[in-house]
Amino acid sequence: MGCLVSTPKDSGGNRRRPGSIGEVSVYVPGLRIPKPVDFAQSLGDCLSKSIVERLSALRTRIVVMAAQEAPTITRTKRKSATQHGGSTLADLQQALEDYLPVLLGLVKDGSHLQYKVQFVWVNQEDDLEETAMFNAWYEVLSVLHLMAMLLLLQANLLLLPRTSTDGYQPKVSDESRRASVDIFLKAAGYLDCAVRHVLPQLSAELRRNLPVDLAEGVLRALCLQALGQGVGIQLGMAIDSAKATLAVKRRLACEMVKYWQQAQDNITNLPLANGWGEKHCLYVKWEYVEAKAAAYYYHGMILDEGNTEKSHGMAVAALQAADEYFKESKKLCEAFNAATPLSRNPPLWGTMKYLSEKIPKDTSSKVRINRDLYTYERIMETAPTLPDFSLALKPDEYQLPSADPSWRSENVNGVQTSSNHVKG
């Protein structure tokens, strides 16, 4: 039950990849696209015409919208970001939310209906162009993943700097920053639900046969990415606040390091060497190193407040580490943008605009010794350990909706509905 059909990557051109995705504040590794499904052929003998037609209409709407709009909404331009792009994302998101409760009727009470329909999706990060499974939980997983990716795209649109009315450099409004944190937590909630409540419904064999786009490590990494970027926005707002202490900024920066480190740990051993996937790995590595630059900077500034020679020496070591990580992050950023599909950085703003000025300046002013004596390895050996803080930001609590009320009156013809048939 739950047969798998996969299509090699050279089989026919369903997977359309843009050559460039424009400006990136939040990286999204492409959108998986659903392919048409004939519900009438699979379910016509089991269900009423009305519910079959409803399933068909809801899913067809998603198929058409996703196929038409995915190439457009993954290429972001600041000028149109809040116009066409934002409304398209919202429409597709709503279509998925409308479809999910009706889809969940297929798995209600362990119904055998979950094995009747072959669901097909075009992959992005996997070498296989598409993956098909006779399992409705695979469809639920794919829907949740797409819902989360659409939210991350929405966050990216919000976090692209726009020219301000006062004529100064492009910036991101406080309102957009606050809204993006809520979006990150919501996206993390979808992904957390996928890992904790949907993946366990698939057999071990089916989980092994999932495309890498839906591998547990990738889902966890995307969840942690969303949380890490949420903390990054909080750090930027703390930097702008006169009330936020160095200790608060250091804590946020150290938490950011942990999120990105865990994200990297989750995808390190996965086969993400193909297009979007390779770029995904570079993005996580870049953000992880950039977070370490911020954390070591604030750790060094706090250590420098001590009055002892030892604390000053540790501060110097921390600031040197921050400077080295910052330089490394710039190289990783260039590698990320050069990987296909090509991308660009928006104008510097927020945390990294501030730190790109402060790290080199404060490091050079604090380090009063000949820097040439210190190699990269020596600096990293002497860098003090960062403080370990518990992670404060958690995914939103998201629960799968109940099956649509229309299923209550549905008589499933000739189909056993025993909960013993849910795969675990």
Side-chain angles (χ1 to χ4, degrees):
M1 296 208 176
C3 298
L4 168 79
V5 179
S6 294
T7 307
K9 60 182 175 181
D10 59 353
S11 66
N14 290 305
R15 178 158 57 183
R16 290 178 293 168
R17 286 180 172 150
S20 171
I21 52 175
E23 292 182 336
V24 174
S25 281
V26 180
Y27 178 64
V28 179
L31 295 181
R32 297 182 74 243
I33 307 299
K35 295 187 72 176
V37 164
D38 190 343
F39 284 106
Q41 183 180 17
S42 305
L43 299 172
D45 296 336
C46 308
L47 297 171
S48 67
K49 183 179 179 183
S50 63
I51 203 155
V52 170
E53 288 180 345
R54 192 163 177 222
L55 275 167
S56 297
L58 289 167
R59 195 176 191 278
T60 299
R61 181 181 168 210
I62 295 166
V63 169
V64 171
M65 289 179 66
Q68 289 178 347
E69 302 296 346
T72 303
I73 58 182
T74 52
R75 289 196 300 268
T76 52
K77 295 180 180 178
R78 271 180 286 154
K79 290 181 180 178
S80 60
T82 56
Q83 300 162 19
H84 175 71
S87 62
T88 301
L89 290 172
D91 290 345
L92 185 49
Q93 189 82 20
Q94 188 60 56
L96 291 162
E97 290 176 11
D98 293 344
Y99 172 53
L100 191 54
V102 184
L103 168 65
L104 285 166
L106 294 177
V107 300
K108 185 180 178 184
D109 299 325
S111 170
H112 263 233
L113 292 175
Q114 67 184 282
Y115 309 116
K116 289 278 187 181
V117 183
Q118 185 186 52
F119 295 101
V120 188
W121 287 71
V122 176
N123 302 316
Q124 294 294 351
E125 296 194 273
D126 202 276
D127 273 338
L128 296 172
E129 180 164 306
E130 61 186 45
T131 301
M133 289 187 180
F134 280 93
N135 194 300
W137 281 113
Y138 166 62
E139 176 83 344
V140 173
L141 183 64
S142 297
V143 167
L144 283 180
H145 176 266
L146 183 52
M147 288 167 67
M149 296 306 96
L150 291 172
L151 285 177
L152 293 181
L153 278 173
Q154 188 179 342
N156 185 53
L157 295 179
L158 283 172
L159 296 176
L160 293 178
R162 290 173 181 80
T163 304
S164 55
T165 54
D166 56 15
Y168 287 101
Q169 285 188 328
K171 63 181 180 180
V172 176
S173 69
D174 288 346
E175 181 184 0
S176 291
R177 290 197 282 181
R178 285 191 292 268
S180 73
V181 174
D182 292 338
I183 289 171
F184 285 132
L185 297 184
K186 189 173 182 181
Y190 289 152
L191 294 160
D192 186 57
C193 175
V195 169
R196 294 195 296 120
H197 301 299
V198 180
L199 276 180
Q201 302 292 348
L202 296 168
S203 67
E205 181 186 1
L206 283 185
R207 287 201 298 273
R208 282 194 298 271
N209 287 322
L210 286 170
V212 73
D213 309 56
L214 301 179
E216 182 176 346
V218 169
L219 297 175
R220 288 187 183 277
L222 286 166
C223 178
L224 290 157
Q225 169 186 329
L227 296 173
Q229 293 193 282
V231 176
I233 297 301
Q234 290 180 332
L235 173 58
M237 296 179 81
I239 289 171
D240 290 347
S241 170
K243 296 180 180 178
T245 63
L246 275 177
V248 167
K249 295 168 191 172
R250 179 179 67 174
R251 180 186 179 112
L252 289 169
C254 289
E255 287 184 33
M256 195 163 58
V257 170
K258 287 180 72 173
Y259 284 120
W260 285 108
Q261 180 178 13
Q262 290 177 22
Q264 181 166 280
D265 290 346
N266 271 284
I267 62 173
T268 295
N269 296 318
L270 292 174
L272 287 164
N274 168 36
W276 291 104
E278 180 185 10
K279 198 171 180 75
H280 192 179
C281 289
L282 285 168
Y283 182 72
V284 171
K285 188 173 183 181
W286 163 35
E287 291 284 354
Y288 174 40
V289 171
E290 196 171 80
K292 287 201 281 189
Y296 273 105
Y297 171 74
Y298 284 112
H299 191 38
M301 296 304 288
I302 286 179
L303 289 170
D304 195 53
E305 291 180 337
N307 294 321
T308 66
E309 186 176 337
K310 180 181 178 182
S311 66
H312 175 71
M314 292 173 68
V316 167
L319 289 169
Q320 284 181 306
D323 195 41
E324 291 296 332
Y325 281 126
F326 182 66
K327 291 174 186 172
E328 185 182 350
S329 77
K330 289 199 285 187
K331 293 176 184 175
L332 288 167
C333 174
E334 291 172 4
F336 165 76
N337 284 324
T340 54
L342 302 176
S343 55
R344 302 188 307 277
N345 286 114
L348 269 182
W349 65 278
T351 302
M352 289 322 297
K353 184 176 190 309
Y354 175 83
L355 292 179
S356 68
E357 298 164 358
K358 296 292 287 183
I359 289 177
K361 178 183 175 184
D362 288 339
T363 301
S364 62
S365 68
K366 304 291 182 189
V367 178
R368 301 181 183 90
I369 55 177
N370 187 346
R371 290 181 60 97
D372 294 338
L373 297 176
Y374 282 80
T375 62
Y376 175 86
E377 291 75 16
R378 174 65 177 155
I379 290 171
M380 293 308 158
E381 283 174 12
T382 57
T385 304
L386 291 172
D388 184 19
F389 297 106
S390 59
L391 296 174
L393 218 53
K394 306 292 182 188
D396 277 356
E397 282 288 337
Y398 174 78
Q399 294 183 337
L400 290 172
S402 301
D404 189 81
S406 59
W407 283 96
R408 293 178 193 158
S409 57
E410 194 65 28
N411 293 316
V412 182
N413 300 324
V415 176
Q416 184 179 358
T417 56
S418 165
S419 59
N420 294 332
H421 292 276
V422 176
K423 294 223 168 190

